[in-house]
Amino acid sequence: MTENIMEKPSLGCKVEDIKGCRKRLFIEIPFEETVPEREKIVLDFAKKAKVAGFRVGKAPKEVVEKIYKKEIDRKTQNELLKLVYEKAIKAHNIEVVALIDLENVRYQPGEPFSFSAIIDTKPDFALPKYTDIPVPKEDTEIKPEEIDQAIESIMESKATFVDVHGRTVASGDFVVVSYVGTLDNQPLSKLLPTAGVMAKGENQWILIKEGVFLPGFTEQLIGMEAGQSKTFAISFPEDWFLEPLRGKVVTYTVELHAIKSKILPVLSDELTQEVAGLNKKEFMEAIEKSIKQSKESQARSRQKLKIIDYLLSSSDFSLPESEVEKEAEWLFRKVVVDMQQKGTPLAVLEEKKDEIYSKALIQARRKAKLHFLLEEIAKKENISVTKDDLAMAIHNQAIKQRMEPKQFLKKLPSEELNAIVNEVFNQKVLDFLLEKAKIEN
């Protein structure tokens, strides 16, 4: 039946525009063209049917058809829906994003088989001029202080700590403390289990520096001696990231166990050999090269954002709502999970869900519009994601997760894999556009 339906020109299909990218297809084929599909299904039932008085598969076709009429009708209708819908889409060259619904399905003996299909299609639009997009030139010159900062960061990782005796805590010290927080005379760890180290800590190392750890906490430790205890109150700001603590005053009792001073190593051939397997000169050259690559990568990212803004502002077209909603729901779930992991109570999430979804919807529209623009450019320029492109992306992601690529891929949810594929595709097209851009001083 597939071949018959695909070959015969008698299929009727009218397209009605509903709104934007949403359309309704009115589809119909003559009854006689449905007969071969039904006969095939009847024969299939006859081969497996269990009918009293007959061996399995030996009952007459007419008897089987009478006994299993409802089941045969239902299966025939479902098969015809798939076959005829695909034929109609192909015949009208419709690029479907999503099949939303099937309506008014009519399958009656002697009458045409007909139904309506609600679909979302890809948007129809004219591409803006995408070569010579004006992009500002970025400064990627390496400054001496950037090299110093990079070296200092590496030296920090090799630092040692010594106990400090004979003086009190000063700014820049590290201290080892144990502490307990209470709110309204109740242990914070019981009132708010998600508070973690904000509620209590045992032998916790803290850098004495303004803005480190909790607001005003480290300042309270300045002047203390090892072995001393102290109780003080901390007021959390109204914009604190953990919502249950916003505007709250928590009382902390702290016991200071030790004061530590950090000793940085001297940069030498011996140290660079240990850190990177290079002598000091080679190490400095490697640091400079790494900074250069990082600055160039960041510069390209900023330039790509300019290209994205240009494309989005230069185009105006309707988007398939099903695609936007799907992306918005994915972004919404991602934000909610992140907030839950940060300890946001379910009641707060429920209160803010509409606001979160509204922001996700705005972001989803931007992403969907950009996707269709880049997809159209890719078609014109024959740009596609190769197996090597995807393998490299998965390899890089696996390294970040400290996993073998095969293990990482095996554990990767399909949604996240699709996100990686889309990101590789987007970056490949944006790389092309940046090559064709007009770099302005």
Side-chain angles (χ1 to χ4, degrees):
M1 181 59 185
T2 305
E3 293 181 355
N4 291 340
I5 289 177
M6 295 302 288
E7 289 173 1
K8 291 193 176 183
S10 51
L11 179 142
C13 180
K14 295 180 181 179
V15 182
E16 174 193 3
D17 291 328
I18 298 177
K19 184 181 179 182
C21 295
R22 187 149 296 183
K23 302 180 188 299
R24 178 183 283 108
L25 308 181
F26 298 94
I27 304 171
E28 180 180 288
I29 62 168
F31 171 73
E32 55 268 22
E33 291 188 25
T34 70
V35 174
E37 182 65 25
R38 182 183 175 85
E39 288 180 349
K40 185 181 75 172
I41 290 170
V42 170
L43 288 173
D44 188 54
F45 267 77
K47 290 176 183 176
K48 303 170 185 176
K50 295 180 180 180
V51 179
F54 298 93
R55 286 181 294 167
V56 175
K58 297 300 182 180
K61 184 179 71 171
E62 295 77 11
V63 174
V64 172
E65 189 170 7
K66 184 177 180 180
I67 295 173
Y68 292 98
K69 183 179 184 304
K70 286 185 179 180
E71 292 86 348
I72 290 170
D73 284 349
R74 184 165 54 249
K75 186 169 183 181
T76 302
Q77 176 178 295
N78 290 339
E79 290 299 315
L80 287 171
L81 281 171
K82 288 189 290 185
L83 295 171
V84 179
Y85 169 74
E86 290 171 4
K87 161 65 175 170
I89 296 302
K90 184 176 180 181
H92 285 74
N93 296 316
I94 300 171
E95 292 187 281
V96 178
V97 170
L99 172 61
I100 308 301
D101 197 12
L102 294 172
E103 302 176 333
N104 305 319
V105 181
R106 185 172 178 81
Y107 175 56
Q108 295 292 333
E111 296 182 12
F113 173 68
S114 62
F115 63 96
S116 299
I118 309 296
I119 61 172
D120 271 352
T121 63
K122 287 187 178 181
D124 183 18
F125 60 94
L127 273 174
K129 186 174 184 294
Y130 56 83
T131 56
D132 295 323
I133 295 175
V135 171
K137 185 177 181 180
E138 293 280 346
D139 179 17
T140 58
E141 182 181 351
I142 301 174
K143 298 176 177 62
E145 56 266 29
E146 291 174 323
I147 297 176
D148 293 341
Q149 289 170 2
I151 293 172
E152 182 180 349
S153 176
I154 294 170
M155 295 299 100
E156 290 274 359
S157 69
K158 291 295 179 180
T160 56
F161 294 86
V162 295
D163 287 319
V164 174
H165 301 286
R167 68 170 176 83
T168 60
V169 176
S171 180
D173 286 337
F174 280 81
V175 294
V176 183
V177 295
S178 294
Y179 56 90
V180 175
T182 58
L183 178 61
D184 298 329
N185 297 318
Q186 296 293 319
L188 185 58
S189 58
K190 289 185 177 179
L191 292 174
L192 189 60
T194 55
V197 294
M198 288 178 281
K200 66 178 182 179
E202 291 287 337
N203 296 316
Q204 191 84 13
W205 283 59
I206 299 175
L207 169 64
I208 303 300
K209 182 179 179 182
E210 184 179 355
V212 171
F213 195 42
L214 304 178
F217 191 97
T218 59
E219 290 88 335
Q220 292 285 346
L221 305 184
I222 293 176
M224 289 182 67
E225 298 177 351
Q228 187 179 359
S229 295
K230 184 178 181 180
T231 299
F232 52 86
I234 293 293
S235 296
F236 285 87
E238 293 293 342
D239 61 351
W240 188 248
F241 76 92
L242 189 62
E243 292 193 34
L245 288 178
R246 290 177 181 176
K248 297 290 193 281
V249 177
V250 178
T251 300
Y252 288 93
T253 298
V254 181
E255 182 181 355
L256 188 126
H257 302 303
I259 305 170
K260 302 279 187 178
S261 180
K262 181 169 61 177
I263 308 297
L264 293 176
V266 176
L267 186 63
S268 62
D269 284 330
E270 182 180 358
L271 180 64
T272 59
Q273 190 69 39
E274 178 189 343
V275 170
L278 303 171
N279 61 39
K280 184 177 175 181
K281 181 175 179 296
E282 293 169 337
F283 178 77
M284 295 296 290
E285 290 171 351
I287 289 289
E288 190 171 343
K289 181 180 178 181
S290 176
I291 295 172
K292 182 72 172 175
Q293 289 174 340
S294 176
K295 295 196 74 170
E296 288 175 348
S297 176
Q298 292 171 13
R300 286 179 67 84
S301 294
R302 290 190 293 270
Q303 289 173 326
K304 286 178 182 180
L305 285 175
K306 294 292 185 182
I307 291 172
I308 289 171
D309 289 340
Y310 172 87
L311 290 173
L312 293 177
S313 63
S314 301
S315 309
D316 186 22
F317 53 86
S318 298
L319 296 168
E321 288 303 313
S322 57
E323 188 79 359
V324 173
E325 289 165 7
K326 183 173 70 174
E327 181 66 27
E329 286 168 8
W330 185 80
L331 292 169
F332 174 80
R333 290 197 302 272
K334 190 172 184 297
V335 171
V336 168
V337 169
D338 288 345
M339 291 178 71
Q340 285 177 326
Q341 290 175 344
K342 290 178 180 178
T344 306
L346 291 176
V348 175
L349 288 173
E350 181 66 25
E351 180 186 339
K352 289 182 167 285
K353 68 178 182 181
D354 290 340
E355 178 188 342
I356 297 169
Y357 186 78
S358 294
K359 290 180 180 178
L361 197 58
I362 293 170
Q363 189 179 352
R365 289 193 182 283
R366 180 180 170 90
K367 289 184 71 175
K369 185 176 181 181
L370 178 63
H371 171 76
F372 287 114
L373 284 164
L374 296 183
E375 187 177 59
E376 197 63 26
I377 293 170
K379 282 183 184 177
K380 288 185 175 296
E381 302 295 339
N382 295 317
I383 301 171
S384 62
V385 175
T386 66
K387 289 182 179 179
D388 288 343
D389 294 332
L390 187 55
M392 179 60 71
I394 290 171
H395 176 77
N396 291 338
Q397 289 290 328
I399 289 175
K400 290 179 182 178
Q401 299 294 326
R402 297 181 180 180
M403 296 172 68
E404 288 294 325
K406 287 184 179 179
Q407 183 188 13
F408 173 76
L409 188 58
K410 188 176 181 181
K411 292 187 176 182
L412 194 66
S414 59
E415 279 187 344
E416 292 188 24
L417 177 59
N418 290 336
I420 291 174
V421 173
N422 288 336
E423 181 61 17
V424 172
F425 171 79
N426 289 351
Q427 292 306 318
K428 195 164 185 179
V429 181
L430 288 170
D431 283 337
F432 166 82
L433 294 175
L434 186 53
E435 288 176 11
K436 299 295 182 181
K438 183 180 180 182
I439 309 299
E440 298 180 338
N441 291 325

